[in-house]
Amino acid sequence: MTATTTSRVVIVGASAAGLAAAETLRREGHTGPLTLIGDEPDAPYDRPPLSKETLSGAWSPDRLPLRTQADLDALDLDTRYGREAIGTSVAEGTVLLADGTEVPYDGLIVATGVRPRRLPGTPAHVLRTLDDALALKDRLGPGRTLAVVGAGFLGAEAASVAAGLGTHVTLLEPAPVPLAHAVGEDVGRMLAQAHFDHGVDLRTGTGVSEVVPGGVRLDDGSVVEADTVLVAVGSRPNTEWLTGSGLTLDDGLVCDEFSAAAPGVYGAGDVARWHNRLFRTSMRIEHRTNAAEQGMAAARNLLGAQRPFAPVPYFWSDQYDLKIRAYGYLRGHDEMRIAEGSLEERKFTAVYRTGDRLTGVLAAGMPPKTTRPWQQAIAASTPWRQATSLLEGAAA
């Protein structure tokens, strides 16, 4: 089923993906009723700054909204902020809200994102919403102690900000090398050294069993004491409300290469698992750029464009004085090579192979232009042998 320009469209998720979908629908000529449902009371706002500028105090909350109220008003949306979706009937074309309201639709875009995983025991801080960031910010500063569980990008960014504010930070990671599964062991060790150099007590190979009053209990039974605990051990896609809908759920809402989960139903952003034909695999990407791009693609395809969504994913991370940028799909790669610069100086460009193809590039401490040729090569499905010859030619 393809929605017409006058159909009733419902977007569940007042997020970057949901907003991008709403704007695209209007831009592409959709004049029918358009409902935007979000479980937070706020209009769509930007999340990446929460673990960076918001947490550090560099930005006030009023810098986070993605659009002005006038921009939102121009979209002529039926906004349902602070209203949780608890179910949908694809057969009947309705979304059920927690207050008992049923919202009818002809086309549905699911953009409900993810929520943080938690640990057993005493409630601890997580970092997903503006309220989360503000609550954690109040606990940071000189003389304070923070235990961060999980040295992924979110945990690393929070540890970086907290250390910069004078907080004594203990960063706990069960893997031998942080982020090795994503960026490779060599780059992971470089990132680990950055933590050490900035006074963070990074402990790898260290599992946490539970949060306890005044700290966390490790798998060996010992306790790491801390005034505040931040749990950053990944996320779960918000798909429970889709249970029983007939839609396929498997670590996200399963979609095809067009981001379609069923006729007239599309997924976008962190919650969507779709087949990216460029990388010949199913993926679910939790990055801001992908959310906006997939929101736009889902909206166009709902209106009948039927163009495969096959981007080169992009993400960035700020840790201490390092600006990290990456393109492609690095997870599960088979090989990493340094194309330019050096890990020791923390100024380098690394390229990644999966199978027989170039599939990723990551740069740290380098200008943005250094990654552009590699991004283009990834988009062109460049064979690794050809990419290697380019490396060898540059070295010569």
Side-chain angles (χ1 to χ4, degrees):
M1 180 180 71
T2 298
T4 68
T5 56
T6 58
S7 299
R8 300 167 299 180
V9 177
V10 171
I11 302 168
V12 184
S15 56
L19 176 62
E23 291 180 325
T24 303
L25 286 165
R26 291 306 192 206
R27 190 166 54 246
E28 298 290 326
H30 177 71
T31 58
L34 183 53
T35 302
L36 181 64
I37 300 169
D39 60 358
E40 291 186 65
D42 306 297
Y45 62 87
D46 213 9
R47 294 187 191 276
L50 296 180
S51 60
K52 308 174 184 73
E53 293 87 351
T54 302
L55 195 59
S56 70
W59 284 17
S60 59
D62 60 8
R63 292 190 62 173
L64 294 177
L66 290 168
R67 298 292 183 272
T68 66
Q69 189 56 51
D71 291 334
L72 295 173
D73 290 344
L75 295 174
D76 188 24
L77 301 175
D78 172 14
T79 55
R80 311 284 183 100
Y81 300 143
R83 311 281 288 279
E84 181 184 4
I86 61 171
T88 185
S89 170
V90 174
E92 297 179 7
T94 56
V95 170
L96 176 63
L97 304 183
D99 63 5
T101 304
E102 286 192 348
V103 183
Y105 65 81
D106 301 302
L108 174 66
I109 296 178
V110 177
T112 44
V114 296
R115 66 186 185 281
R117 294 177 182 268
R118 297 179 182 267
L119 290 176
T122 305
H125 288 260
V126 292
L127 189 48
R128 175 66 184 176
T129 68
L130 174 57
D131 287 344
D132 293 339
L134 295 177
L136 180 59
K137 176 180 175 293
D138 288 343
R139 302 288 300 172
L140 305 179
R144 300 292 184 92
T145 57
L146 172 70
V148 180
V149 186
F153 286 110
L154 181 64
E157 290 176 355
S160 169
V161 170
L165 294 172
T167 313
H168 181 273
V169 180
T170 302
L171 181 56
L172 305 165
E173 168 59 42
V177 179
L179 288 164
H181 67 287
V183 301
E185 290 191 3
D186 291 342
V187 176
R189 280 191 287 268
M190 181 277 295
L191 295 173
Q193 189 60 49
H195 291 301
F196 294 134
D197 291 349
H198 287 84
V200 170
D201 180 10
L202 170 63
R203 307 186 192 182
T204 57
T206 303
V208 174
S209 60
E210 64 176 334
V211 181
V212 297
V216 295
R217 189 181 309 280
L218 306 183
D219 287 346
D220 64 7
S222 63
V223 172
V224 172
E225 296 182 355
D227 301 331
T228 304
V229 176
L230 170 65
V231 175
V233 292
S235 58
R236 299 181 187 277
N238 289 321
T239 57
E240 286 76 11
W241 70 283
L242 299 172
T243 301
S245 65
L247 299 171
T248 302
L249 308 176
D250 182 10
D251 185 35
L253 173 63
V254 177
C255 302
D256 63 14
E257 62 181 343
F258 304 101
S259 296
V265 180
Y266 289 77
D270 299 3
V271 73
R273 173 171 293 282
W274 90 103
H275 182 78
N276 187 329
R277 64 159 59 175
L278 178 62
F279 295 89
R280 308 169 189 168
T281 190
S282 173
M283 58 178 65
R284 187 173 65 80
I285 302 293
E286 296 183 22
H287 300 314
R288 168 69 173 79
T289 303
N290 185 78
E293 291 178 348
Q294 194 165 23
M296 291 187 284
R300 293 189 184 107
N301 287 339
L302 178 62
L303 292 176
Q306 288 304 287
R307 290 197 294 267
F309 181 58
V312 176
Y314 166 72
F315 72 86
W316 75 95
S317 179
D318 295 323
Q319 299 179 32
Y320 308 107
D321 53 352
L322 280 174
K323 180 74 174 185
I324 300 166
R325 298 179 179 87
Y327 288 92
Y329 193 64
L330 281 59
R331 186 176 296 271
H333 63 268
D334 297 314
E335 182 181 354
M336 182 279 288
R337 288 185 60 177
I338 300 299
E340 183 180 2
S342 72
L343 289 167
E344 292 73 22
E345 295 178 4
R346 295 179 193 162
K347 294 183 65 175
F348 65 91
T349 301
V351 293
Y352 295 80
R353 173 183 66 84
T354 303
D356 61 355
R357 296 172 57 203
L358 172 72
T359 52
V361 59
L362 179 147
M366 304 290 279
K369 65 180 181 181
T370 60
T371 58
R372 288 171 191 154
W374 296 107
Q375 176 194 5
Q376 294 166 359
I378 295 166
S381 299
T382 302
W384 180 251
R385 179 176 295 180
Q386 182 178 339
T388 301
S389 67
L390 293 173
L391 284 173
E392 293 170 349

